[in-house]
Amino acid sequence: MKDEAKTKKRITNELAELCQRIAELEKVEAERQQLERKVVEYEELDRLKSDLLSTVSHELRTPLAAIKGYTTMLLDYDRRLRCEEKQEHLQSIDRATDRLTELVDHLLDMSQLNAGLLKLEKQPISISKLIREAVAEAKLTAPRHQIVLNMRKGLPRVNIDAKRIRQVLDNLIDNACKYSKEGSSVVVQAHRGGSELHISVADQGIGIPAGDLERVFDWMYRIEKRLPQEEGLGLGLSISKGLVQAHGGRIWMESEEGKGSKCSFTLPL
Ligand code: ATP
Ligand code: MG
């Protein structure tokens, strides 16, 4: 009887030890799985970082090469160049410098939005004036497109960061012109809908495949190059989404491949 009790106690102790060991092993396994997830996350971050570096360096190289090329030409062949040729080369340098500034601004905005550091400077402004100015400027920068403004009269003033909303509008008009043929029309519309303001930019361009509609707002997402001379980092729409959401609005894309696209956003009133 005594032996039996001893054996029982030994088995109970062994069982308790076993349970403790199992619990320890489970803890180690959970830690291993967590580490595994971290490794996958780091690998993904590393991949994004190298993607970003190669895209950015590629995009920076194009305008830099233009600036270097035309400057060298102006310095080396100064006497042999006609006045109009010099003027054209200077204009190309000017355009390439604008492109570089735009790329750097896009990257800075994106990093501020990602870090939640972007500060809006809101003021009540006339949205009609802001849209009219954006359209007037777009007509100058894209003279071969038919840019049409379709805006209801008497739109209310809105409390927004005018520079940032102008940036959204410029990004959408830039896309509409970039992804459509010269001569086609780009329609900018604005109207009040309940407690929101609706603004949209529609084009008759190459459109977006249904499967890509959601993803075009992702950071650095670009549909495989479909047009010659197509430039971009795939940041315009993600920055626009961040800016619209920071104002409490929504942004979305509608499109039919080969027919055109319409990007719309709202601003709360
Ligand atoms: P970036 O704006 O940084 O110069 P991007 O124009 O390529 O470069 P986004 O504006 O973010 O980047 O657009 C993402 C992708 O969505 C584009 O590469 C393009 O393929 C597609 N896209 C955006 N707008 C249109 C449009 N109006 N028509 C057709 N495709 C579009
Ligand atoms: Mg763009």
Side-chain angles (χ1 to χ4, degrees), residues 106 171-172 174-175 178-179 231-232 234-237:
H106 264 175
N171 278 339
L172 303 191
D174 177 57
N175 279 350
K178 182 155 81 169
Y179 301 107
E231 288 175 332
L235 290 180
L237 284 181

Side-chain angles (χ1 to χ4, degrees), residues 59 99 102-103 106 171-172 174-180 201 203 205-208 212 215-218 220-224 226 230-239 253 255 260-263:
E59 288 294 321
R99 180 76 193 136
E102 188 194 324
L103 285 171
H106 264 175
N171 278 339
L172 303 191
D174 177 57
N175 279 350
C177 296
K178 182 155 81 169
Y179 301 107
S180 68
V201 179
D203 63 64
I206 55 177
I208 299 171
D212 291 299
R215 299 200 61 197
V216 290
F217 293 100
D218 288 355
M220 287 190 72
Y221 186 77
R222 303 201 74 223
I223 303 168
E224 210 173 297
R226 297 171 290 170
E230 193 183 302
E231 288 175 332
L233 281 175
L235 290 180
L237 284 181
S238 46
I239 292 173
M253 179 76 86
S255 185
S261 313
K262 182 175 173 185
C263 193

